[in-house]
Structures are given as C-alpha cells and as structure tokens.
Amino acid sequence: MTDEYVELVCDDVPHDAVLTDPGVRVLDVAQVMRRLKGLSLWHSKVLVTQVPAVILAGVPEEVAATAVSALREAGAQAETRERPEPEFPTG
C-alpha cells in the first residue's frame, strides 16, 4: 500500500481580519465587533482590549476586507492577513 498526498488548489486563499489597535473610541469599535461576531457588548469590549485579536479567521478576502473597513471607520487599526498554508508531511 502506498501513501499518496494530494495538494488541493483553491482560488480563494483564506484570510484573517486582525484588530491591531482599538484606538480611542473603544466603545464604537466594540459595537462594530458586536455586529461582526454576534457577541454581547461586554464580551466585545473585552476582546477589543486584548490586541492583537483575530476577529474573523479563515474567511474569504472580501469578507475580511469588509470587516477591516468597518473597524477602521470606527477608529481602530486593523488589517487582513493571509492564512499560512498548512504543512503536509512529505516522503
């Protein structure tokens, strides 16, 4: 029996939306976080204060960009990051 590995090729590389700094309008950012994640306002505020925080993980680039845009409009600093490709065993 031989082991075969298949590499899956996907057009849409998963991205993360990462909050890097909540800025001075923490409550506004927490409200955006609440809409994005569906958390309570209290949990959203706690997450906002624990930066850097991954807000959305493994989503399409457009979704991550929309989330980052909403966070920036609220006064936060955020960015999208490509997820690293998983390491597959060789040999």
Side-chain angles (χ1 to χ4, degrees):
M1 180 186 221
T2 62
D3 292 329
E4 293 183 27
Y5 295 96
V6 178
E7 182 176 340
L8 298 176
V9 178
C10 181
D11 291 339
D12 191 16
V13 177
H15 284 72
D16 295 340
V18 181
L19 176 68
T20 56
D21 182 17
V24 295
R25 297 175 14 206
V26 175
L27 189 57
D28 292 341
V29 175
Q31 289 176 343
V32 171
M33 181 83 66
R34 181 180 183 197
R35 285 193 305 269
L36 291 173
K37 303 241 345 143
L39 300 172
S40 69
L41 188 57
W42 183 83
H43 282 104
S44 297
K45 187 174 179 193
V46 169
L47 185 59
V48 165
T49 59
Q50 297 174 351
V51 291
V54 176
I55 306 309
L56 299 175
V59 297
E61 184 178 9
E62 298 82 28
V63 174
T66 301
V68 166
S69 176
L71 289 166
R72 287 180 179 167
E73 286 176 11
Q77 293 180 10
E79 60 187 32
T80 60
R81 296 180 185 166
E82 275 191 23
R83 293 203 74 144
E85 292 186 18
E87 295 292 325
F88 295 108
T90 58

